[in-house]
Amino acid sequence: MTIFEKIEKHQEDKNYVKFKRDVGNKSYILSHGYILDHSFDFVFLKVNDDFLFNGFTIFPISSITKIRHNNYDQFFDSIMEQEGQKKLIEMPYQIDLESWETIFNSIKDKNLNCTVENENDKRFFFKIGEIVKVKKRSLKILNFDPAGYLDDKPTKVKYKEISAVGFDDHYTNTMTKYLRKKQ
């Protein structure tokens, strides 16, 4: 079964899955949760940590090296079912998964702050905040720091440098309520 066929099967069956993703330079990231949607190029995942849903992430299918749904994941899935959590696996947002440009336009249209990152050890970056502008090959994001201070100007991020985007998680949503400008 190909990676793409596994994505389709696990999405249809609403299975809890773990993805091993290659983010470059022999750096690997594990992502886990429930697949809400996919396109030819991207996966839209409802993230789950310790039996709690915590936002959404989108990443390229081309980065996936392995999809796991073994006995451990099946047991986790059965607990989610018994806890009444699987009924919460729903699509709250229509995100156009055609390209990074359409993804960021979809998130921007919903007025959601997001995280944009390159998870590679050597090229790591993490930006969090409001999407200010979406272009064909890049976006501008108004980043905020852990103290809630907004940067003076937006940061340009090229799509080719992005390994994942996240949104509607507890941290981002809570911090967004308390953002402030530097004096």
Side-chain angles (χ1 to χ4, degrees), residues 94-111:
Q94 284 305 121
I95 304 292
D96 185 342
L97 299 173
E98 177 74 23
S99 66
W100 281 125
E101 181 181 8
T102 62
I103 290 166
F104 285 109
N105 272 322
S106 295
I107 295 169
K108 185 178 187 320
D109 289 347
K110 288 157 185 54
N111 296 314

Side-chain angles (χ1 to χ4, degrees), residues 10 21 25 28 30-32 95 97 101 119 122 128 153 157 162 172:
H10 292 308
R21 300 187 296 116
N25 294 332
Y28 294 91
L30 294 177
S31 300
H32 41 93
I95 304 292
L97 299 173
E101 181 181 8
E119 299 152 300
K122 293 184 178 159
I128 183 171
K153 60 182 182 174
V157 179
I162 299 171
T172 304

